[in-house]
Amino acid sequence: MFKTKFLRPPGAVKESEFVKKCIRCGKCQQICPYNSIVLTSWENPFYFGLPYIIARKKPCYLCMKCPPVCPSGALDRTLVDKNKVKMGIARINRDTCWAYQGSFCRACFMNCPIFDKALKMTDELLPVVIEKYCVGCGICENVCPVEPSAIIVEPLKD
Amino acid sequence: MKCDRREFLKWSAALTAASVVGFELSLPENLQAVDVDKWIKSVCRYCGAGCGLYIGVKGGKVVAVKGDDKNWNRGYICVKGSYLPKILDAPDRLKYPMVREGGKWKRITWEEAMNLMVSKFAEAIKKYGPHSVGFYGSGQSYSEESYLANKLFKGALGTNNIDGNPRLCMASAAVGYVTSFGKDEPMGSYDDIYYADCFFIIGSNMSEAHPVIFRLIMEQKRKRKVKIIVADPRKTLTVRNADLHLDFIPGMDLYILNAMAHVIVKEKLYNKDFIDKHVVFKKLGPDNKPQKVNFEEYVKFLEEYTPELAEQKSGCPKEKIIQAARWFATSKATMSFWCMGLNQRTKGVWVNNLVNNLHLLTGQICRPGATPFSLTGQPNACGGIRDVGLLSHLLPYGRLVANDQHRAEMEEFWGLPKGRIHPKPGLTAVELFRKFAEGEIKCLWVVCTNPGQSLPNLEKYRKGMAREDTFLVVSEAYHPSRTSELADLVLPAALWCEKEGTYGQSERRYQYLPQVIKPLGEAKSDFEVILTFARKLLTALGRADEAKRLFPYKTTEDVWNEMRACSRNTVYNFWGMTRARLIKEHGMLWPVPTEDYPAPGTLRRYTAKYGDPLVKKYDPKAEDISFYGNPADGNRAVIWLRPAVGPAEPADKDYPFILTTGRLIEHWHTGTMTMKVPELMRAAPRAFVEINPKDAQKLGIKTGDMVRITSRRGSIVLPAKVVDIPRPGVVFVPFHYPDKLINILVTDAFDPMSKQPEFKISAVRIEKA
Amino acid sequence: MFYIGVLIDIEGEEAEKALSSLSFLKIYGKKENQLLGVIELKDLQEWKAVEEALTEIKGFLGLSILSSFQDNSDTS
């Protein structure tokens, strides 16, 4: 089975265009100070060299250094405001999330860069994703203390 | 088979449906995939909330924990607690005694270790007297262990140089209770949460530090529309769930609390009847001695503390202060919670008194839901240190070193020659380590705590601990810790469910922790080690008869029975808490005067009407409320006139920011345990500094930038987290991380009354590194 | 057989009682005015009858289907 869902770097145009536009130059991967961006290899040979992010390993920290270096327009070069990024949307698995199991945990909430907007704690002390503000950076997925992560970013569909 | 499959599919449909809408649905017991041989009732190892839990054992190993639904926490535990099984077999667990020889660690046998330790201590005592040795205990040791250590040092050896780490966390609350009500420990309990209509939370980030208690409060907020007031310089998750946020410059809360009293008096919201019956007023006279005054003088004292002055000094809008005062006074029942934000202060006792004052002034006390409640940081700071008296000025169960009668009582109880217990209080935590650094203390034994990371102004004391000519013994479960790395001898300690004993948490609830598994390697319980050491040391000092007479115990239960007897004629009376009852019950709250006194014991003290059995004994004439811990003032509580004073080290031109330190939910204190859990390290991997976006913008700092923080004592580089949590002018750093010792920067100025250092407020400057 | 996870909005305790006595419905959880249950059907033809039975109950406000499981070994 080949991997088919990819979390693209911030500013990526929609998936069907992204795979056409990206010239696989690797500039975004080179500029990323956190080594968050990896290039596709055998996990899907049809997409060789296309950049993506494995949030559980290294999420996007929204430094916004990669969009301006993209030569092809696969990433929106004008994007500077991290609040306007839309890479995907985080989804909470309520069957495994500690907070929903009656334990108290707020790791995703505290680490969310769109603090207290994209992720909210309800008065029942449960985290909820506010889709309108969630940028899909994957930091929540990265820090979740449940194995496998109880909050996962779904890449944006076309 | 077919029926099972049908049942299974039905459950699948139900669970999937539940997950879609966030419906809470718990699987029936038989469908749950928990595979253990047996569940054993115990208590969480971490904070002072003291959550009851069950430990799941399989094949001699701890494999799971789950909350105890019959205990006060009703089955809830927090994320750290959920991962407790993983701390037991961490790779850096210390498995055998080790001695430092020529800068290298060498494995030795227990016998060699004990002989070395005894010879060092005996030599020092013979040469320099008993005050040349010391003991630094812990609010995480079991009560029986602390009781033994206290008996050895204060009783057998005759030195009061024995103090515990609660000096860094609880001392101000303890002295606050004693000065306000005559005796230590809260009068209320967690049960009051179910009755309170207004919660006043100050100096506590409950959502991180006491999450399960906070969950109970939030539950009441949903069910009953209670009011929550939070006073905190940071917009924590606790604040974000509050109805009213008092945001202020750290250290200026004394102005706010006095201003609240000012409003209550001015708007006549105080309870005159209660004051007439149960309260006296006092202030410190010019000679620093307490002096009785009357209500009128108190009113006059409050005159200057207007909400306007409080706003000017603290930065907290006066409307909010007035609103808080009104809610506090007029709610049906108000419950206060506070923790390190008030205790770790140079005016810690005063600010504790000021909260107690508000309860006394309004009569919001001694009935369900109305009580001041001090939260505890460690699981046994109350039961094992404050109650047992393992502080340099205390003797067991409310007795004082400086009190002739109390010393005589303990000398008789312990069977010591008259005058054995030294009449002068010994060295307190910071002083103890200062004298150790200066070489005046020759031998120091640190048990179950990590002062090499947790003391303030750390560099100074770490240098002292590393001295070659002194002898430092550290009993630890993990090695190296930031303390054990400086030791001369390390002793492997059994951890949590590897040994048995008693914990006493915030609300006077004593709970039994059974031994569930064998200790790792050659590790031994501190109980066994202290007992062996006591006998051997006394023998080496030529007092073999005392060794036998004072330390005859075979089991921890023998010591527990002696402790019960020791408490019997005090206000702590827990004679009725036999070991057998503690094993059976889900914790009991003292006083429990008789063995047939019903569980869970006394939920509310100082009130006969709501069930304190001791009111009749100590104050037979009282109708209901009696502060019988304070007979000197006619069984009345004290409202103190405490002038508002700022912190020891306010921000200034050179150091324009205030550094405050604190906790994260994932980690516990110095992280020796929680940092061994990969899942928790994923959620909170490294130290950081929280900076307000406004300050960050001025300094050109972005999230992720490395920032240098410098105080008068030292400097540290940390990644910035720019977030709207601390107020402008305040930066926050968690103190958990052993690789980033933030306490190097923290001031060691301490409260003259409680000797507790001001961890919470240090002036710093910050710049991009 | 079909097992259909549903969330039912109700009003009043009467409705809850009536619903819990239905043979094709099992209630698994309750929160405020919502019941979470599973409806068991032999085949989808039965759905009409189920819907009628539900709408007849006083205090039954509405229903949303959240999940469905099918047991093929049982279809005739």
Side-chain angles (χ1 to χ4, degrees), chain B residues 390-672:
Chain B
L390 197 142
L391 289 170
S392 61
H393 67 293
L394 288 181
L395 291 168
Y397 304 109
R399 299 174 178 97
L400 298 171
V401 162
N403 183 312
D404 297 344
Q405 195 202 326
H406 291 172
R407 279 199 316 281
E409 267 173 44
M410 282 317 298
E411 280 161 356
E412 200 200 317
F413 183 81
W414 277 338
L416 302 167
K418 271 214 169 80
R420 169 66 66 79
I421 299 174
H422 199 269
K424 234 182 92 197
L427 300 170
T428 60
V430 171
E431 294 169 310
L432 186 65
F433 282 94
R434 199 191 57 195
K435 293 282 185 194
F436 189 55
E438 287 167 3
E440 218 171 286
I441 300 275
K442 307 291 175 195
C443 298
L444 183 64
W445 189 4
V446 173
V447 175
C448 198
T449 179
N450 196 0
Q453 181 173 342
S454 60
L455 286 171
N457 193 4
L458 203 47
E459 208 50 71
K460 185 164 131 190
Y461 304 108
R462 283 181 62 84
K463 270 186 207 138
M465 281 185 250
R467 262 175 88 129
E468 290 295 321
D469 57 341
T470 54
F471 189 68
L472 178 65
V473 189
V474 175
S475 293
E476 242 303 347
Y478 303 93
H479 178 69
S481 74
R482 295 314 301 259
T483 307
S484 74
E485 68 184 5
L486 305 170
D488 299 287
L489 176 66
V490 288
L491 303 175
L495 175 68
W496 188 45
C497 59
E498 295 174 348
K499 58 178 185 176
E500 67 160 2
T502 316
Y503 266 178
Q505 38 79 302
S506 298
E507 51 162 2
R508 296 174 280 110
R509 185 185 297 262
Y510 284 4
Q511 314 192 71
Y512 172 70
L513 294 90
Q515 183 181 349
V516 173
I517 53 168
K518 276 205 293 256
L520 196 74
E522 291 176 18
K524 286 185 184 185
S525 74
D526 293 331
F527 176 83
E528 196 183 331
V529 179
I530 295 169
L531 191 57
T532 312
F533 174 74
R535 287 172 181 158
K536 284 197 168 188
L537 178 64
L538 288 176
T539 309
L541 292 171
R543 285 149 56 183
D545 59 316
E546 274 193 19
K548 275 206 200 97
R549 200 160 46 78
L550 298 182
F551 298 95
Y553 320 103
K554 288 200 177 68
T555 63
T556 59
E557 189 174 353
D558 296 340
V559 178
W560 178 252
N561 287 335
E562 181 174 320
M563 293 161 72
R564 283 167 54 215
C566 187
S567 78
R568 205 167 178 182
N569 289 317
T570 69
V571 303
Y572 291 72
N573 192 350
F574 57 92
W575 174 254
M577 285 191 211
T578 60
R579 180 55 58 90
R581 287 194 87 186
L582 283 183
I583 290 172
K584 181 170 151 266
E585 304 293 346
H586 301 258
M588 296 184 80
L589 288 75
W590 57 265
V592 178
T594 56
E595 287 182 32
D596 57 2
Y597 193 78
T602 306
L603 292 175
R604 285 166 197 92
R605 285 204 296 163
Y606 305 142
T607 158
K609 190 171 156 195
Y610 294 106
D612 185 343
L614 298 187
V615 170
K616 274 216 170 63
K617 177 179 176 192
Y618 288 103
D619 192 359
K621 273 182 263 160
E623 286 163 32
D624 170 18
I625 294 169
S626 167
F627 295 101
Y628 55 74
N630 194 20
D633 290 310
N635 298 326
R636 284 158 173 259
V638 184
I639 286 184
W640 285 94
L641 283 59
R642 299 294 196 197
V645 183
E649 197 179 85
D652 58 22
K653 204 164 82 290
D654 298 326
Y655 299 92
F657 286 87
I658 289 174
L659 165 72
T660 186
T661 64
R663 286 142 182 81
L664 305 173
I665 189 174
E666 289 88 359
H667 291 304
W668 196 72
H669 288 192
T670 59
T672 51

Side-chain angles (χ1 to χ4, degrees), chain B residues 8-226:
Chain B
F8 172 77
L9 283 167
K10 272 187 152 178
W11 266 106
S12 304
L15 283 171
T16 315
S19 73
V20 174
V21 284
F23 221 97
E24 270 179 59
L25 209 57
S26 52
L27 275 170
E29 205 71 18
N30 57 357
L31 284 178
Q32 254 171 41
V34 197
D35 186 22
V36 303
D37 297 338
K38 55 182 169 179
W39 289 103
I40 300 169
K41 181 170 76 69
S42 188
V43 185
C44 179
R45 175 65 180 75
Y46 296 125
C47 80
C51 297
L53 46 77
Y54 281 91
I55 301 176
V57 197
K58 188 174 170 60
K61 282 198 82 172
V62 172
V63 293
V65 294
K66 65 175 183 185
D68 177 356
D69 51 4
K70 291 199 181 64
N71 209 321
W72 70 270
N73 54 308
R74 298 190 1 244
Y76 293 131
I77 48 176
C78 78
V79 64
K80 324 183 255 302
S82 310
Y83 283 116
L84 264 171
K86 300 208 172 189
I87 67 171
L88 289 163
D89 47 9
D92 65 340
R93 277 295 302 275
L94 181 59
K95 295 187 190 70
Y96 33 77
M98 290 209 280
V99 69
R100 187 205 297 275
E101 263 176 20
K104 286 221 175 78
W105 288 105
K106 191 184 126 200
R107 176 177 178 172
I108 53 172
T109 65
W110 265 106
E111 182 155 12
E112 288 166 334
M114 291 314 279
N115 288 343
L116 172 68
M117 193 174 159
V118 166
S119 73
K120 289 280 185 187
F121 273 72
E123 189 195 327
I125 292 169
K126 281 182 196 153
K127 227 168 160 179
Y128 305 101
H131 303 309
S132 65
V133 298
F135 183 94
Y136 187 60
S138 163
Q140 300 157 56
S141 292
Y142 291 163
S143 302
E144 293 85 348
E145 297 164 350
S146 296
Y147 180 87
L148 270 190
N150 211 20
K151 186 172 181 179
L152 170 63
F153 279 79
K154 286 188 186 132
L157 300 180
T159 176
N160 297 325
N161 289 340
I162 169 167
D163 211 46
N165 59 8
R167 184 69 74 183
L168 310 180
C169 97
M170 303 294 307
S172 298
V175 180
Y177 275 128
V178 171
T179 45
S180 291
F181 306 107
K183 289 284 183 205
D184 188 16
E185 300 292 357
M187 56 288 301
S189 64
Y190 298 147
D191 190 56
D192 287 308
I193 293 170
Y194 297 97
Y195 301 93
D197 283 298
C198 174
F199 293 95
F200 180 61
I201 302 168
I202 178 166
S204 159
N205 182 6
M206 291 174 85
S207 69
E208 306 264 338
H210 299 95
V212 175
I213 305 175
F214 187 60
R215 178 179 274 268
L216 298 189
I217 293 176
M218 289 306 292
E219 208 177 68
Q220 295 308 308
K221 187 183 174 186
R222 286 202 311 282
K223 281 190 183 151
R224 302 191 287 123
K225 299 209 169 76
V226 298

Side-chain angles (χ1 to χ4, degrees), chain C residues 8-20:
Chain C
I8 304 170
D9 291 295
I10 54 161
E11 198 175 55
E13 281 185 20
E14 294 276 301
E16 192 187 341
K17 231 187 230 165
L19 283 165
S20 61

Side-chain angles (χ1 to χ4, degrees), chain B residues 2 5-7 9-18 20-25, chain C residues 3 5-7 26 28-31 34-36 38 40 66-67 69 71 73-74:
Chain B
K2 202 164 166 213
R5 180 170 168 78
R6 177 168 167 247
E7 204 52 26
L9 283 167
K10 272 187 152 178
W11 266 106
S12 304
L15 283 171
T16 315
V20 174
V21 284
F23 221 97
E24 270 179 59
L25 209 57
Chain C
Y3 303 98
V6 292
L7 188 71
K26 185 169 176 198
Y28 282 82
K30 187 191 171 183
K31 192 158 74 179
Q34 291 186 314
L35 298 176
L36 193 116
V38 174
E40 197 178 351
L66 299 170
S67 69
F69 279 73
D71 192 349
S73 66
D74 223 53

Side-chain angles (χ1 to χ4, degrees), chain A residues 30-139:
Chain A
Q30 285 157 20
I31 192 118
C32 179
Y34 302 99
N35 295 323
S36 302
I37 300 176
V38 293
L39 302 180
T40 314
S41 173
W42 290 106
E43 60 270 31
N44 189 335
F46 301 106
Y47 286 4
F48 249 125
L50 285 180
Y52 75 104
I53 289 163
I54 306 170
R56 190 64 170 165
K57 277 195 186 147
K58 269 274 162 66
C60 170
Y61 290 101
L62 300 171
C63 67
M64 307 311 288
K65 288 201 170 80
C66 54
V69 301
C70 179
S72 68
L75 304 180
D76 175 3
R77 264 167 289 183
T78 62
L79 188 67
V80 286
D81 183 359
K82 66 175 183 183
N83 293 294
K84 295 215 173 95
V85 172
K86 205 79 192 175
M87 302 156 68
I89 287 171
R91 306 246 182 246
I92 297 172
N93 180 346
R94 295 176 178 196
D95 289 341
T96 59
C97 166
W98 277 119
Y100 286 89
Q101 305 313 301
S103 182
F104 184 55
C105 178
R106 45 86 202 109
C108 53
F109 169 82
M110 282 306 283
N111 287 287
C112 177
I114 317 298
F115 184 61
D116 211 7
K117 274 175 95 178
L119 267 163
K120 286 266 190 194
M121 291 299 273
T122 67
D123 59 2
E124 292 169 274
L125 302 174
L126 304 171
V128 287
V129 178
I130 309 299
E131 299 195 358
K132 194 173 137 198
Y133 296 112
C134 178
V135 298
C137 64
I139 292 177

